[in-house]
Amino acid sequence: MAELLSVSHLNSWYGRGKDRRQVLRDVSLTLEAGETLGIVGESGSGKSTLARCILGLERDIQGTIQVNTPHPQMVFQDPYGSLNPAKTVAWILEEPLRAAGLRDRGARQAKVREMLHLIGLEEEHLSRRPAQLSGGQRQRVAIGAALIQGSKLVILDEPVSALDVTLQAQILQLLADLRTELGLSCILISHDLTVVYQLCRRVAVMRSGVIVEQGDADDIYDRPQHPYTRELLAACLSE
Amino acid sequence: MRRHNWYLRLGCLLTAVMVMFSLVGCFWTPYDPSALSSTDRYAAPSLTHLFGCDSLGRDIFSRVMQGAGTTLSIAFAVLLLGGTAGLVIGALCGYVGGAADALVMRLCDAVAAFPSILLALVVLAVTGPGKRNVILALGVLFIPSFARLVRGEFLRQRELDYVKAARLAGVRELRIVFVHILPNTLPVLLSGVTIGFNNAVLAEASMSYLGIGVTPQDPSLGYMLSEAQGFLMRAPWYTGALAGTVILLVLGAGLIGEGIRARMGDGT
Ligand SMILES: Nc1ncnc2c1ncn2[C@@H]1O[C@H](COP(=O)(O)OP(=O)(O)OP(=O)(O)O)[C@@H](O)[C@H]1O
Ligand SMILES: [Mg+2]
């Protein structure tokens, strides 16, 4: 199958002048259509930065990034900040359609209803604002808003780490269902190997901006090569 | 929480009453505010003349109504001018950032470095007095403080993920600024507006009091205050009624602002 995304020798920096600091070092990865790639690593290892680079939100970068699909989208780490607090769920879901140039109001609303159903929310939620939703419901709305334009590539940045364990399982299940239903390719970012293991066949392990190990999820889970991976694994299992 | 609501409620009530009072004063007053009467000179407050009469026998209640109308319409016009321009400038500066932002903000600093009333005095000394010039001078002087306030809010908001999500979805930049971000800055804007309103009322009153504000055709509260002090001893009710009106106007807006700020502090 064709490569949907390929990143090669990516470097990125934050800050300017004296404060300029390299965050990503020589990162390379590929994503095939229909595949879900997991990226794990501790806090501050540069996972979100990598996501932002892929989406073109970072300026100070070097290397090549090829995205062979229109409008890749992202579900952000924190469902509290990623939804506009002043707007209703209906508006938030409709806005990406307006931005995509869909003029017909009826068609937009039909799509919103369809997506609402897919993400497992009810009509009554349409008129609510983010503050009137639970954390899990918010993340569902964020997922819906990211997918409603019909994007085939979506980056999930810690989609469940702000949620408690039972909710985590629900949202992960939702993501797995949406993935097959909509034929998505995903990059799933998490600091938790067990979360990644539930959805991904292939995993990249990141540490201080470098990918230290990349390969089959089962292999990495059973026979971690890099000491850092072993550490991560031990940390997950001991929890 | 209960106390904050109380601020806001009392402020709204007071402001509503004062605005009604002034609005009515623009169209109707119990007596003609400029009708002279030799028999009523220095008349003390009574049922026929609620606040008494001045040195020319004019009904002070009617004059205060008219003056409040003028003062209020000037304050609103100043807010509209300074607020709108400040909003647009601050929003764009805060969102765009970079060199353009730095340049505009230095300009605002330069204007804001002078005490605004002093600067308004200088401007009016050049352009001459009159309602229109007062509005223009004060309106322009209010732009920097408002722009700064709005800019700070936009700087904070533009870093939030919902803005990045909008950009990813391909929403146009101007729409992000005015449709996505602006509503989230509303509480801060409103509290800024209440402060601006008070400054406008006080600045207009001081200028007119000093005789470089409005012209006698549209007397404002400040203009009347300069009349009233001439016979403070013989008709203290004139000064009292004017000062009371100014205080109530400013107090109402101040309470609203306080209520909004307290509410924001609550995080609700
Ligand atoms: N806007 C920024 N300006 C400067 N430095 C930043 C910025 N964003 C992130 N960094 C730094 O870059 C490094 C990588 O951050 P990043 O957010 O990519 O980590 P992460 O792996 O996503 O961590 P987490 O699991 O906590 O989300 C961190 O050291 C962080 O402090
Ligand atoms: Mg992150």
Side-chain angles (χ1 to χ4, degrees):
Chain A
M1 254 194 264
E3 271 173 15
L4 208 62
L5 168 75
S6 86
V7 174
S8 55
H9 307 295
L10 176 69
N11 294 281
S12 97
W13 291 264
Y14 279 122
R16 286 208 193 137
K18 259 201 341 273
D19 299 328
R20 191 160 178 260
R21 211 165 52 75
Q22 186 158 10
V23 178
L24 296 182
R25 291 164 204 276
D26 199 34
V27 170
S28 300
L29 54 84
T30 58
L31 184 73
E32 313 266 304
E35 190 187 21
T36 302
L37 170 69
I39 296 178
V40 284
E42 65 192 348
S43 183
S45 55
K47 307 181 298 290
S48 299
T49 306
L50 175 59
R52 285 198 294 270
C53 288
I54 293 173
L55 295 168
L57 294 173
E58 291 296 332
R59 301 222 183 103
D60 197 358
I61 62 174
Q62 244 177 37
T64 46
I65 300 171
Q66 254 192 338
V67 185
N68 302 319
T69 177
H71 314 304
Q73 290 293 325
M74 172 142 154
V75 174
F76 288 86
Q77 190 159 355
D78 168 20
Y80 293 83
S82 64
L83 301 178
N84 191 331
K87 307 293 184 181
T88 63
V89 170
W91 192 93
I92 290 170
L93 289 175
E94 210 178 327
E95 182 66 1
L97 297 173
R98 270 190 292 262
L102 184 61
R103 289 274 168 74
D104 179 5
R105 187 148 178 263
R108 286 201 306 259
Q109 285 173 344
K111 282 200 166 194
V112 166
R113 292 236 144 70
E114 198 183 320
M115 184 49 79
L116 196 71
H117 178 70
L118 278 175
I119 56 178
L121 292 179
E122 308 292 329
E123 294 269 322
E124 57 172 315
H125 296 119
L126 279 177
S127 56
R128 299 222 196 140
R129 280 170 220 284
Q132 299 163 315
L133 298 175
S134 71
Q137 290 168 337
R138 275 180 225 213
Q139 202 55 308
R140 285 170 192 268
V141 175
I143 291 169
L147 295 180
I148 202 161
Q149 282 181 337
S151 309
K152 289 298 172 205
L153 171 59
V154 53
I155 300 181
L156 308 157
D157 188 0
E158 310 252 14
V160 296
S161 41
L163 308 174
D164 64 47
V165 182
T166 42
L167 275 175
Q168 285 195 357
Q170 282 178 24
I171 298 289
L172 287 176
Q173 188 55 52
L174 172 70
L175 287 171
D177 294 346
L178 286 172
R179 188 175 57 178
T180 36
E181 197 140 354
L182 303 173
L184 302 176
S185 313
C186 308
I187 292 181
L188 173 65
I189 294 173
S190 179
H191 59 266
D192 186 346
L193 256 173
T194 50
V195 165
V196 165
Y197 191 69
Q198 289 177 50
L199 287 185
C200 309
R201 283 281 179 69
R202 214 153 56 76
V203 177
V205 181
M206 243 180 129
R207 181 196 194 182
S208 348
V210 181
I211 294 187
V212 295
E213 188 167 359
Q214 188 167 187
D216 190 75
D218 288 322
D219 283 348
I220 286 185
Y221 214 69
D222 297 335
R223 290 176 295 281
Q225 300 297 314
H226 197 279
Y228 176 66
T229 316
R230 267 176 243 142
E231 253 174 64
L232 266 184
L233 205 56
C236 300
L237 294 178
S238 67
E239 262 172 26
Chain B
M1 186 65 216
R2 176 162 291 169
R3 206 168 55 117
H4 307 148
N5 268 337
W6 182 84
Y7 275 139
L8 202 56
R9 255 185 234 164
L10 196 69
C12 286
L13 187 72
L14 188 55
T15 305
V17 170
M18 293 313 291
V19 167
M20 278 297 287
F21 177 74
S22 321
L23 267 185
V24 172
C26 291
F27 305 105
W28 175 88
T29 47
Y31 295 86
D32 176 354
S34 45
L36 311 178
S37 155
S38 52
T39 50
D40 288 329
R41 298 180 70 212
Y42 300 115
S46 65
L47 279 182
T48 38
H49 295 291
L50 270 180
F51 291 170
C53 292
D54 70 359
S55 58
L56 303 172
R58 297 177 296 192
D59 178 52
I60 290 175
F61 187 75
S62 302
R63 287 190 68 68
V64 170
M65 272 180 94
Q66 188 196 26
T70 308
T71 294
L72 207 68
S73 62
I74 291 177
F76 278 139
V78 166
L79 275 187
L80 200 68
L81 181 68
T84 315
L87 179 80
V88 172
I89 292 173
L92 293 178
C93 279
Y95 185 73
V96 175
D101 170 43
L103 186 74
V104 175
M105 281 303 127
R106 287 303 80 72
L107 242 147
C108 285
D109 282 342
V111 175
F114 296 94
S116 58
I117 294 184
L118 195 70
L119 206 55
L121 293 185
V122 175
V123 171
L124 282 169
V126 176
T127 60
K131 192 169 159 178
R132 244 204 16 236
N133 289 344
V134 170
I135 292 173
L136 263 162
L138 284 180
V140 170
L141 287 174
F142 274 31
I143 295 175
S145 64
F146 217 69
R148 181 171 305 282
L149 182 80
V150 175
R151 172 180 174 268
E153 245 338 79
F154 270 76
L155 271 180
R156 205 170 63 74
Q157 297 274 337
R158 76 163 182 196
E159 296 301 327
L160 298 180
D161 283 341
Y162 78 85
V163 176
K164 296 198 185 105
R167 229 177 280 152
L168 271 184
V171 180
R172 276 172 309 144
E173 303 284 329
L174 275 182
R175 187 171 164 86
I176 293 182
V177 171
F178 292 109
V179 179
H180 287 243
I181 303 182
L182 188 60
N184 289 303
T185 64
L186 218 58
V188 174
L189 290 193
L190 284 178
S191 110
V193 162
T194 59
I195 295 175
F197 173 82
N198 283 354
N199 287 340
V201 167
L202 293 176
E204 186 282 320
S206 339
M207 290 195 317
S208 300
Y209 174 77
L210 293 173
I212 53 155
V214 295
T215 45
Q217 293 98 283
D218 14 53
S220 67
L221 293 176
Y223 178 86
M224 290 176 183
L225 210 52
S226 66
E227 288 179 345
Q229 76 165 1
F231 39 91
L232 178 62
M233 289 312 166
R234 295 201 58 187
W237 38 86
Y238 195 6
T239 307
L242 291 165
T245 310
V246 172
I247 289 172
L248 287 181
L249 271 175
V250 172
L251 185 67
L255 281 174
I256 293 180
E258 196 56 46
I260 294 173
R261 272 189 296 282
R263 231 192 197 184
M264 285 193 299
D266 275 1
T268 44

